[in-house]
Structures are given as structure tokens and as C-alpha cells.
Amino acid sequence: MAGRAAQARLTDPRGCGAARAAAAALLVAGLIAGALTATADAAEPRPAAATAARAVAASDLGSPEKKDVAMQLVSSAENSSLDWRAQFSYIEDINDGRGYTAGLIGFCSGTGDMLDLVRAYTEAVPDNPLASYLPALQQVNGSASHEGLDPGFTAAWAAAAGDPAFRQAQLDELDRVYFNPAVSRAKQDGLRALGQFAYYDAAVVHGPDGLARIRQAALATATPPSQGGDETAYLEAFLDARNAEMVTEPAHSDTSRIDTAQRVFLRAGNLDLDTPLHWAVYGQQFSISS
């Protein structure tokens, strides 16, 4: 059977050149139409991913109510108390190799986040009880040492905690380093409030780099909702990877903040982290009624 170009040569009075031009035009038109269709297909989200995106939009850990729940959950594990607002003045060495641990989420003298916090506070309030300790904090960063901090640093921290500017600096640093990046990454992965909290809690304990390692380990065995995967299955994989990371650190080898808290919510199907909530950490029972 003669093709479209051959038919053009037989019937087109303009000859072969015109026929070839006509055929070429038809080919280009077909390629353009195919490209447009492919682009439209690529732009159209897969049904599962589109459903996940809509669910995430309606389940935001950053809302005031959900964020307060997140703060209480972290405080139950970090301070054995739901009163997270009472933790601005907290400071002690918990012998985890990170020096002093202090404040809302355990800023550490040995990991750099305490140094960044005191720098930010000093920029806002130059004359503050902690400003004189900046050189010592720089010196001990990366170690468990208290050199240059003892004996007065813990008292200075407690005094600074009475300043609203220092309390705000703690909240700002928490958001900048831990909460906002973790929640944003979880949303990109198509996770609702429980998954957003799982990422945040991992960042609090293991740092942003630790969260990245745990996420990569989870991605090796499960597909996130943003790519069409099942949210519960992905979070099970993430919590498995988090457990594995926890037990590599002697100070964090107790995994109850995962096993008897986050995994309890997950297996109850509470992906939106709705109250009431009931959980246990280190054997202590906690509840949030509303």
C-alpha cells in the first residue's frame, strides 16, 4: 500500500519537493501533538499522589493546635512532662557525649545549635547573661567539654530564660533548624500530620543530617505517598529506620518514643494526629484530651 508521502507524489501537481514538504509538515504536527500529550500526562499527578497532596493540605502540623500537640509529644520524651513552656530554663549534662543539653528541645553545647542560639540571642540583646560565654561555646563545640562554661553557665542560662527575648530566640531557632525544614520535607513526601511529626522528632534527636539518613533508609524499602506509595507502609518503614538509628546511640537506645507513641498512633490509623492521644514514653503514661 502506498504511504501518505507516495500518495502525495502521485496526486500533488507541485511535484516531489512539495510532497516531501507536506509529509514533513504532517510529521512535525504529529510530533508536536505527541509532545503536548506527554507534557499534559506528566503534569497530571497520579491519582494516589493527587489524593496524598489533598490530604496533606488538610493536615498541617504547623497549625497552632497541631504544633502544640507536637511540642507536648516532644516534651514528654525529652522532659517527662507535657508542659513544654516550662522547659526554657532546663539545662543539664545527660552524659550523651554532647555536653550541656538545654531549653525547649535540648540545644546542646557540643553540637553547635546552642552556640547558634546564643549568637542569635546576643544579636537581639547584646547585654545578656549568656553573651560572655560565646567564646567558650565556640571552644567546646564538637565535644562534651564544659571548659570555660563551669561553674556559672547553668545559672546564666536560667537567668536568661526569664527574658522573653531569649524564650523567643529558642522558639525561632527551633523553627529555623528543626521544625520548619522537617515539616516541609514531610509534606513534600506526601505525609500528613503524624508523618510530619515523625520527621520533626527525628530531627530533634538526630539532627537534620540524621533525619536525612533515616529518610534515605526508609526510601530504600518503601515508596512515599508523593510517589504513589501507601502512607502507612512508608511510615512503618521510616519508624523501622528510626529505631535502627536510635540503637546506634547509647544515650538514645530506649525506643519507646517510637514504639509506644508514634507507632501506636500509626497502627490506630491516626495519620492526622487528632486528639485524644494516649501514649507512653520510658514507661510513663501520657494523654492529651483535646
Side-chain angles (χ1 to χ4, degrees):
M1 180 182 292
R4 185 172 298 170
Q7 290 176 339
R9 283 197 300 273
L10 292 172
T11 60
D12 193 335
R14 295 171 295 178
C16 292
R20 283 196 297 271
L26 287 169
L27 177 60
V28 170
L31 290 173
I32 292 173
L36 290 173
T37 300
T39 302
D41 289 344
E44 183 68 26
R46 286 168 287 188
T51 299
R54 288 192 294 270
V56 169
S59 185
D60 183 6
L61 195 70
S63 70
E65 297 80 7
K66 288 281 197 275
K67 189 171 185 180
D68 185 64
V69 167
M71 297 295 285
Q72 292 184 68
L73 288 169
V74 169
S75 187
S76 73
E78 295 288 323
N79 306 104
S80 298
S81 168
L82 298 184
D83 187 4
W84 61 268
R85 293 177 180 84
Q87 310 310 320
F88 290 106
S89 61
Y90 163 78
I91 183 168
E92 67 175 319
D93 189 329
I94 61 174
N95 298 312
D96 63 352
R98 299 174 181 177
Y100 279 119
T101 295
L104 282 180
I105 55 164
F107 300 101
C108 294
S109 60
T111 62
D113 57 354
M114 181 181 286
L115 173 61
D116 289 343
L117 168 63
V118 175
R119 279 175 172 161
Y121 175 41
T122 301
E123 287 179 5
V125 183
D127 184 15
N128 72 72
L130 297 174
S132 64
Y133 290 97
L134 276 170
L137 286 171
Q138 290 176 299
Q139 188 66 33
V140 303
N141 188 24
S143 77
S145 174
H146 294 182
E147 186 175 356
L149 298 176
D150 289 340
F153 185 68
T154 57
W157 185 279
D163 181 359
F166 184 51
R167 296 196 293 273
Q168 187 60 51
Q170 289 194 41
L171 289 166
D172 291 345
E173 199 68 9
L174 179 156
D175 283 345
R176 184 184 72 84
V177 178
Y178 300 104
F179 190 85
N180 291 346
V183 170
S184 176
R185 178 70 266 181
K187 287 180 178 179
Q188 291 172 39
D189 286 341
L191 301 175
R192 285 179 272 175
L194 176 58
Q196 294 164 31
F197 175 74
Y199 276 32
Y200 168 55
D201 190 62
V204 167
V205 176
H206 308 286
D209 290 343
L211 167 59
R213 287 193 303 273
I214 294 165
R215 177 177 174 271
Q216 285 303 313
L219 289 171
T221 62
T223 303
S226 61
Q227 297 176 27
D230 178 78
E231 186 169 5
T232 298
Y234 175 76
L235 284 176
E236 287 280 10
F238 181 86
L239 295 180
D240 287 344
R242 172 81 190 279
N243 269 359
E245 181 79 12
M246 290 280 284
V247 299
T248 66
E249 305 174 20
H252 298 125
S253 58
D254 185 309
T255 59
S256 59
R257 70 193 294 156
I258 301 165
D259 300 329
T260 56
Q262 296 173 49
R263 214 181 290 268
V264 170
F265 308 147
L266 178 60
R267 292 181 177 173
N270 192 356
L271 294 170
D272 292 314
L273 204 60
D274 290 330
T275 55
L277 295 170
H278 308 283
W279 74 100
V281 184
Y282 312 129
Q284 185 176 354
Q285 299 291 324
F286 295 95
S287 294
I288 300 176
S289 58
S290 61

